[in-house]
Every structure is written in C-alpha cells, then in structure tokens.
Amino acid sequence: MNNFILTLNNGREFKVEEGTQLYDVVKDDKSDLPVVLAKVNENIYELSSKVMESGKLELIHIDTNIGMKAYVRTLQFVLIKSVLDVFPKSKIVIEHSLSKGLYCEIHKDTPLSNEDLSKIKCKMKETIEKNIVIKKVSMVKKKAIKIFKDYGMDDKVRLLNHVASKEVKLYELDGRFDYFYGSMAYSTGILKTFDLMYYAPGLILRYPTENNPKEIIEFVEHKKLSKIFKETEEWGYILDVADVGALNDKVDSGEIIDIIRVAEALHEKKAAYIADMISERKDVKIILIAGPSSSGKTTFARRLGIQLRVNGLVPVPLGMDDYFVDRQFTPVDDNGEYDFESIYALDLKLLNFHLKNILEGNEVEIPSYNFKTGKREWIDRKIKLPHNGILILEGIHGLNEMLTKSIPKENKFKIYISALTQLNLDNHNRIATTDVRIIRRIVRDYLSRGYGGEETLKMWTSIRRGEEKNIFVYQENADVMFNSTLVYELCVLKRFALKELSKIKPNSVVYYEALRLKSFLHFFKDVDTNYVPENSILREFIGGSCFYKY
C-alpha cells in the first residue's frame, strides 16, 4: 500500500495511506468554520473521497462560494428528509431564492402551519445533532429510477430518463435516497446555523452567507419579487412545464414549438399590460427601466415601445450612457479601478437639467459619449418631446431616486426587469437565477463582443458585487416587475455556452465554475435557434434580433 504526503499552505504535512478518506485527514482542523470540501492539487473533492496522490492540500470552509453552496445543499437534504419523516405522504418543492434564503412549499392534505414548522425544525435539529454521515452511492440508472418511482417522485424519474449515462450517483441520508446536482458535506453535524420561517403558503429555509458565515442576516421582505415569482410559477402551469424533465419531454415530442409560441406570447401580453398601466397614468412622462446584467433590458424597452405606440404614445429613448462624466472624473473602487457602475460615474446635474427642460417642452441638445476617448462630445443631437411623447431611460440606476431627483414622482414610472427562472431540474434541485444570466452573458460576450467564456466568468464576481450595491437594493421601488426568463431558453443557449466553457483549462481560477455550468447544461435537450422569433428577448443574446444588429 502506497503512502502519500499532503501539504497545507502553512507547511503542515499529513502522511496518509492510499485510500484514506479526506475526512480522516481534515477532521481535526482547528478552524472556527466547518470544512466542507478539500482541494488536492487542482481538483476539488468531497470529504468522502479517498486520497490517491501526494500534493498540495487546501481546506474549503463555508466562507467561500463553493463551500457555502455545499453547506446549503446539505441543509436542503436534511430539510427534505425531515419533512418526509414528519409528513410521509407529502411532497416538498424547493422553489426559488428569496431574501438570502430558499422559498419552499410542502404539499400535503392540510395547509402548512407554524406548528408543522416547529415539528420539522425539531426533526432537523435531531438529525444534525446525530451527525449522520451522508453516503454517496453509485448505482445503475434503472435502479435509481425504480427508487424514485417507489417514492412517487415523478419529477426525478423524468429527469433521469433523459440522462445519457447508465450509472448515476445518489446521496443517502439515514435510509433516504435523493439525487442532487453538486457537492455535499460529509455529515450533518456541520449544519450549526439555520432557521425555518413561515411564509404563506410555504416556508423560507434561512442560512448564513459566505460573507457572514456565522449568523443569519435580518430578513428583508420582498413582496413584489415574491409576487413575480408566483406569476412565473403560474406561467409554468400554463405551459405544462414544471421541471427540466418535462421540458425535455416536450422537445422529444415536438411540442416545444408550441411552448415557444406560448412563452413568447406571455411576454408580449405582460408588455402590453405594462403599457396599459403607463397609459392610464396620465402624468407619466418618463419610463425608467433597470435590472441586472443580461436581463434583456434593451429588447424589452423596444417591445414596450411598440405597445406604447399601440396606445397612442410616442416613445423617445434617451441613452443613460451618454451622461457619463469624462474619464478623469470617474470615481474609483477599493482597488483603484474606475467604477463605471457607480451612480457618480454619471453627470447627474446635467441629466436632471436636460430632463426638466425636455419635460417643459423645450428642444434640448444632448451629449454623445465617446468610449474610446473617455470624453463627452456634442454632435448636434437634439430631443424635443411631442405632445404625446414619453421618454424611456434604460440603465442600472433607473430605480435609484437619486438619478432623477429633480423630477416629480408622479411623472415617473419605474420597471424592474430580471431573468427570474422558475424552472428547476426537479423538485429538490433549483436553477439559480444568476445561472441563467451568466449563461446569457457568456453567449452574448462570445458572439458579439469578442470575449471568451473564461473572461466573462472572471468578470462575473465584480458584476454581481455592483448589482448588489446598485440594483437589488432598489428593486422594490419599482412600479412593476417584468420577468424576462423564457422556459425554453437554456435549450437554445446550451450549445453556444458549452463551446466556450469547454475551452477553460483546469488551471483557471474559474475552472470549477465552468465545470458546474457544463454539468448543469447537459441536462437540457438542444433546440434549434430557428424556432426563436426575431423579436424575442433571447435574440439579444444569440443574434438575429429585428430591433438591432450586432
């Protein structure tokens, strides 16, 4: 039997026999945060994995993105097991993220109550205190499908029916098997911090964050966001696509063409509804559209503009980017880099002066920003609002009142747009909304901007930081929200994204994120781009839009 040497960053060495579990190597770690995974050389492993080589050893705690994801996934498994122990005939669905937690619904004979929640929480604590080892089991797909058929979990049966491999890996917790997409902690004992909160008609599973791993942050109500998720859930029922397995069934049967038509019609109907809301508010003169990266703001603004024209209004676009200050006056971030996402990167005084003049009926010469020189230019571009005109401003700061502080509130209508997917892999494996947006961004950057997938993934952390600071905190200020997700879009984006993600090498800092996204995309069947209408928001990312070219 071979012996191997594993060396931590601090120089400490472990001499271990071949086949020793990583858990036995790291279990005496003195850190005040739990170890959930380990990295040996360039590869990340669960702690149940066996040591098969010498090299550098890095411990992954819950103050990292990948570590916290494993923590939350393990917590989900304990929740699922506990719910089914307390209510054996129930069904639990992990729906979506909400206020730094996961909104879940439990379907059973009687509505969920606070008393039910207390029973579930007690069962979870009992399971955690026992520090039960979670086993990873490899089995033939047919056997796994039989297990889930016996459980009555048709969602998992549908998903596994479309998995190409003959073998699958399940996790087992105290006799309960489940299928999870992503890494799991070694045992339940690490789950020291969590809470359950009643949120009608379901619950929110609350947990710490990687930036604050020892406590749960204060709950912030997001009523409008919750409402738009509910609307999207209803769209799923209309489309008869509750999960990826059901979506793949539609692709195989050819029904996906009708699904695309109905999904696009739902977008058009919502845009028309928003246009009607605006038309009914006679004082509205400015529409502000904001949302995070890759939400489809530009295409939505054009589609909304068409619906406004149907209502007798003339939309007049005003480019927010043209009000950037000259480069030398751009604020810098903590790293000394230009912070173009700061609201102070815009000339707020000039923008508000122009807006007031435009709304007073005056003709205004507006600037044009030269991104190459970093200077504002005046090229005789003028705007005058017709009597039935309405300004449309689209940009990340649209919901921040500071952007248009000189304009009365009754003259403004604010729209928040984001891709808030309600489609999950199955009832226990959700698709993060940020995953849909990063896939969109990778495809657009690759097809239209000359950036590779690796460059986009490296930028994403910074982009997300800017969104947290400048967009998400203002989302509840919106008059209305628009969900730009399309139930079929990942079937279309898949082949473009996989091409770029496959170029990322193991030594890249974003390799494991690329690996995770590749694994996730393989669950989807391909759909031909020719089925995507030319006015679809999806065309903003794959090209071929009727609104503009790239």
Side-chain angles (χ1 to χ4, degrees), residues 471-490:
I471 300 173
F472 298 145
V473 290
Y474 300 109
Q475 62 190 17
E476 290 290 314
N477 293 347
D479 292 287
V480 70
M481 291 186 176
F482 180 86
N483 189 353
S484 71
T485 193
L486 289 157
V487 71
Y488 71 91
E489 67 178 272
L490 289 170

Side-chain angles (χ1 to χ4, degrees), residues 223-492:
K223 288 184 178 178
K224 291 176 182 175
L225 192 63
S226 183
K227 184 180 176 182
I228 201 73
F229 270 123
K230 199 69 182 171
E231 177 187 88
T232 309
E233 185 180 351
E234 290 166 5
W235 286 6
Y237 293 139
I238 291 168
L239 295 164
D240 190 28
V241 178
D243 49 59
V244 173
L247 178 64
N248 286 336
D249 286 346
K250 301 291 186 187
V251 176
D252 281 349
S253 68
E255 294 175 77
I256 192 65
I257 298 171
D258 284 336
I259 293 294
I260 291 171
R261 289 172 182 151
V262 177
E264 295 290 349
L266 286 167
H267 267 195
E268 201 62 51
K269 186 174 183 179
K270 185 63 184 282
Y273 166 73
I274 293 171
D276 290 346
M277 285 180 69
I278 293 166
S279 301
E280 287 167 6
R281 300 189 189 184
K282 302 301 181 183
D283 291 333
V284 171
K285 291 296 178 184
I286 299 175
I287 299 168
L288 296 148
I289 302 172
S293 173
S294 304
S295 292
K297 294 184 288 292
T298 304
T299 302
F300 170 75
R302 303 292 176 86
R303 288 177 75 165
L304 178 65
I306 291 170
Q307 293 294 339
L308 291 168
R309 290 182 72 90
V310 170
N311 288 354
L313 296 171
V314 178
V316 178
L318 183 64
M320 214 178 286
D321 286 356
D322 287 324
Y323 286 87
F324 273 126
V325 296
D326 285 351
R327 188 74 41 84
Q328 75 244 40
F329 302 118
T330 303
V332 295
D333 60 21
D334 294 339
N335 299 318
E337 303 289 335
Y338 286 125
D339 186 1
F340 296 109
E341 294 187 339
S342 166
I343 194 168
Y344 298 108
L346 298 171
D347 190 335
L348 300 176
K349 185 177 179 181
L350 180 66
L351 173 62
N352 279 268
F353 176 71
H354 281 180
L355 290 176
K356 283 187 71 175
N357 271 276
I358 292 169
L359 296 193
E360 287 168 2
N362 301 318
E363 183 177 72
V364 174
E365 183 180 4
I366 61 171
S368 180
Y369 192 79
N370 187 321
F371 284 90
K372 289 184 178 179
T373 64
K375 299 274 187 187
R376 180 185 299 152
E377 297 175 349
W378 300 92
I379 53 175
D380 200 32
R381 292 174 60 207
K382 295 178 180 177
I383 281 184
K384 183 177 173 64
L385 208 60
H387 77 280
N388 57 343
I390 191 163
L391 277 177
I392 298 184
L393 272 77
E394 172 241 310
I396 65 171
H397 299 292
L399 305 184
N400 186 343
E401 194 61 30
M402 188 184 295
L403 181 79
T404 54
K405 59 184 177 182
S406 66
I407 308 301
K409 287 188 178 181
E410 61 268 21
N411 295 148
K412 295 180 284 195
F413 189 93
K414 296 178 179 180
I415 302 171
Y416 176 76
I417 174 173
S418 190
L420 303 165
T421 183
Q422 189 68 21
L423 179 76
N424 286 343
L425 292 179
D426 59 34
N427 287 342
H428 300 163
N429 289 272
R430 58 181 285 272
I431 297 172
T433 56
T434 187
D435 283 350
V436 177
R437 291 195 296 111
I438 186 58
I439 295 298
R440 284 180 171 187
R441 179 75 181 245
I442 286 169
V443 172
R444 184 177 62 189
D445 284 356
Y446 156 61
L447 291 176
S448 70
R449 300 178 179 179
Y451 294 135
E454 183 172 19
E455 291 173 90
T456 302
L457 280 179
K458 284 179 177 178
M459 290 189 294
W460 194 246
T461 301
S462 174
I463 291 168
R464 289 278 295 160
R465 220 172 16 243
E467 291 169 350
E468 290 280 354
K469 182 180 177 182
N470 298 309
I471 300 173
F472 298 145
V473 290
Y474 300 109
Q475 62 190 17
E476 290 290 314
N477 293 347
D479 292 287
V480 70
M481 291 186 176
F482 180 86
N483 189 353
S484 71
T485 193
L486 289 157
V487 71
Y488 71 91
E489 67 178 272
L490 289 170
C491 295
V492 175

Side-chain angles (χ1 to χ4, degrees), residues 42-276:
E42 297 297 331
N43 298 307
I44 292 175
Y45 297 98
E46 292 177 316
L47 298 184
S48 59
S49 302
K50 294 178 179 178
V51 178
M52 301 303 291
E53 62 179 334
S54 296
K56 287 167 53 182
L57 174 65
E58 182 182 334
L59 308 185
I60 298 174
H61 300 86
I62 63 170
D63 58 349
T64 62
N65 181 265
I66 192 170
M68 183 52 74
K69 281 179 177 174
Y71 181 95
V72 174
R73 195 173 296 112
T74 310
L75 189 59
Q76 285 176 238
F77 196 4
V78 171
L79 171 64
I80 292 161
K81 172 77 165 59
S82 300
V83 168
L84 296 174
D85 281 348
V86 175
F87 303 106
K89 294 182 179 179
S90 67
K91 180 174 79 172
I92 176 169
V93 183
I94 313 292
E95 294 279 2
H96 52 75
S97 60
L98 192 67
S99 190
K100 304 298 182 185
L102 288 176
Y103 174 72
C104 314
E105 290 188 358
I106 298 172
H107 302 279
K108 57 188 184 72
D109 292 338
T110 57
L112 185 70
S113 66
N114 275 309
E115 186 181 345
D116 294 337
L117 223 56
S118 295
K119 291 177 183 177
I120 295 165
K121 191 172 180 179
C122 283
K123 190 66 180 175
M124 290 179 72
K125 286 182 175 179
E126 180 185 312
T127 302
I128 291 166
E129 284 167 9
K130 288 181 178 178
N131 194 23
I132 301 170
V133 174
I134 299 169
K135 299 169 186 172
K136 194 172 189 177
V137 183
S138 184
M139 65 175 67
V140 293
K141 186 172 76 171
K142 283 185 179 178
K143 185 179 177 182
I145 288 174
K146 184 181 184 307
I147 287 172
F148 293 124
K149 275 184 178 176
D150 292 343
Y151 286 168
M153 294 180 175
D154 295 337
D155 54 307
K156 290 188 184 291
V157 172
R158 281 192 296 268
L159 184 69
L160 292 179
N161 275 333
H162 292 284
V163 171
S165 58
K166 292 181 179 179
E167 277 203 350
V168 295
K169 289 181 171 58
L170 304 186
Y171 289 97
E172 186 256 320
L173 171 58
D174 198 22
R176 164 67 61 174
F177 289 93
D178 212 330
Y179 180 76
F180 285 97
Y181 149 68
S183 301
M184 193 74 66
Y186 180 79
S187 63
T188 61
I190 70 161
L191 304 172
K192 304 298 185 189
T193 309
F194 81 97
D195 196 11
L196 297 183
M197 174 182 153
Y198 182 71
Y199 196 84
L203 64 94
I204 296 178
L205 174 63
R206 309 206 64 225
Y207 43 80
T209 65
E210 61 188 275
N211 296 322
N212 200 7
K214 292 185 179 181
E215 59 185 24
I216 298 170
I217 63 173
E218 183 182 353
F219 177 76
V220 178
E221 180 75 274
H222 291 119
K223 288 184 178 178
K224 291 176 182 175
L225 192 63
S226 183
K227 184 180 176 182
I228 201 73
F229 270 123
K230 199 69 182 171
E231 177 187 88
T232 309
E233 185 180 351
E234 290 166 5
W235 286 6
Y237 293 139
I238 291 168
L239 295 164
D240 190 28
V241 178
D243 49 59
V244 173
L247 178 64
N248 286 336
D249 286 346
K250 301 291 186 187
V251 176
D252 281 349
S253 68
E255 294 175 77
I256 192 65
I257 298 171
D258 284 336
I259 293 294
I260 291 171
R261 289 172 182 151
V262 177
E264 295 290 349
L266 286 167
H267 267 195
E268 201 62 51
K269 186 174 183 179
K270 185 63 184 282
Y273 166 73
I274 293 171
D276 290 346

